[in-house]
Amino acid sequence: MKIETVPEQKTTIQVIERMVALLDALARYPDPVSLKELSKVSGLHPSTAHRILNDMVLTRFVDRIEPGTYRLGMRLLELGNVVKSRLSVREAALDFMRSLHKKTQQTINLSVRQGDEIVYIDRAFSERSGMQVVRAIGGRGPLHLTSTGKLFLSVDEPKAIRAYATRTGLAGHNKNSITDLAKLERELSLVRARGYARDNEELELGVRCMAAGIRDDSGKLIAGLSISAPADRLQDEWLEDLVSTANQISATLGYMPVE
């Protein structure tokens, strides 16, 4: 005897869709919302919305503040914190980095700050990039000589920047290196104004980079995404894609820019 399973699957999916519609509706309001308003926004009949909301109250996805008014429940916050704790910037960035590399055919770096240096924690690259000198994963670079490092310095207080200059002596690697505090401060002002940073052969001769910041859900700068290329191949047209990619990674981590 043939057993028909399609209606059951459809019903299950329909219930989930209705739950999501109600959760999305609740997310639109900072204060508790009436059943009437939730029914209107979600497009559900009041009796259907009421039944589903009651089930979500029992599972703590929704809180009932008083008879007939609801808000998002603490269970969502608990689950969100679990997701956040398990999501690393490397995991969030990997697919985006591969896409950016595919578009530019140049090395894409993911770096974080450790003290007075940046550390390269991931990379998307191909052997055809043409660069003879590349920093390996785990490699380090001074903040003031790298595009990502400048991003991190640009969010420091002026006092912290001067302290960094004192600690490191702003040591240079070549004739292009920034080794003067006043010049570094001017460079960091440009970074703040532009929203991205550059390294014009300041770390390695023949290699130029540009970087955009990645932020977490609190708005904190936690990493830099950069394109490294032979000096004569780095194209300004890639800036828009670089910044857009960094923003997408930030959004994946929960960052919502203030408009």
Side-chain angles (χ1 to χ4, degrees):
M1 181 176 67
K2 184 178 179 181
I3 300 175
E4 184 61 63
T5 59
V6 174
E8 182 180 352
Q9 291 176 342
K10 183 176 180 181
T11 301
T12 302
I13 293 172
Q14 188 179 61
V15 169
I16 294 173
E17 288 176 345
R18 289 172 173 177
M19 287 177 61
V20 171
L22 286 167
L23 291 172
D24 285 342
L26 284 163
R28 294 174 59 177
Y29 299 90
D31 299 317
V33 193
S34 69
L35 174 62
K36 181 180 179 180
E37 183 68 12
L38 289 173
S39 174
K40 178 183 176 181
V41 173
S42 66
L44 299 175
H45 190 276
S47 63
T48 301
H50 184 259
R51 184 177 68 253
I52 296 173
L53 285 166
N54 280 343
D55 288 341
M56 289 198 287
V57 166
L58 291 174
T59 54
R60 295 172 50 239
F61 285 108
V62 172
D63 291 337
R64 184 186 288 111
I65 306 307
E66 56 185 51
T69 61
Y70 303 85
R71 70 180 180 192
L72 294 177
M74 292 300 293
R75 181 94 183 270
L76 293 170
L77 178 61
E78 294 167 0
L79 293 175
N81 285 333
V82 171
V83 173
K84 178 183 174 182
S85 68
R86 294 177 180 175
L87 181 64
S88 73
V89 66
R90 290 181 68 183
E91 292 171 335
L94 185 57
D95 287 342
F96 293 107
M97 292 174 65
R98 287 171 174 166
S99 295
L100 186 58
H101 167 67
K102 185 176 181 180
K103 191 164 190 176
T104 64
Q105 290 300 303
Q106 302 301 324
T107 301
I108 311 300
N109 309 291
L110 182 67
S111 312
V112 297
R113 179 176 185 171
Q114 284 190 359
D116 291 339
E117 298 176 308
I118 62 160
V119 180
Y120 298 84
I121 62 172
D122 217 336
R123 170 170 283 117
F125 70 100
S126 65
E127 297 299 329
R128 299 192 303 275
S129 67
M131 280 196 299
Q132 300 302 313
V133 181
V134 293
R135 299 265 158 174
I137 294 174
R140 296 171 178 269
L143 296 178
H144 65 291
L145 300 183
T146 56
S147 54
T148 293
K150 291 175 185 177
L151 289 174
F152 280 103
L153 283 174
S154 73
V155 299
D156 278 353
E157 296 292 333
K159 183 178 179 181
I161 296 170
R162 291 192 294 271
Y164 168 82
T166 299
R167 285 194 306 273
T168 63
L170 296 182
H173 282 210
N174 58 59
K175 61 184 178 64
N176 297 319
S177 299
I178 295 177
T179 57
D180 176 73
L181 177 57
K183 186 175 180 180
L184 176 62
E185 289 173 332
R186 289 194 295 272
E187 177 81 359
L188 297 179
S189 293
L190 287 175
V191 173
R192 296 184 196 101
R194 293 169 173 169
Y196 63 86
R198 293 179 180 273
D199 156 20
N200 290 309
E201 299 184 71
E202 296 157 48
L203 182 65
E204 298 170 0
L205 290 174
V207 178
R208 295 170 60 211
C209 304
M210 48 192 182
I214 296 172
R215 296 179 180 272
D216 65 12
D217 61 335
S218 70
K220 179 182 178 182
L221 180 67
I222 60 169
L225 185 73
S226 63
I227 301 176
S228 299
D232 59 350
R233 291 192 197 174
L234 194 70
Q235 300 178 25
D236 284 345
E237 301 91 88
W238 294 335
L239 266 173
E240 184 177 348
D241 290 324
L242 173 66
V243 173
S244 174
T245 301
N247 289 341
Q248 289 178 71
I249 298 170
S250 297
T252 300
L253 294 170
Y255 175 60
M256 298 180 65
V258 178
E259 298 183 359

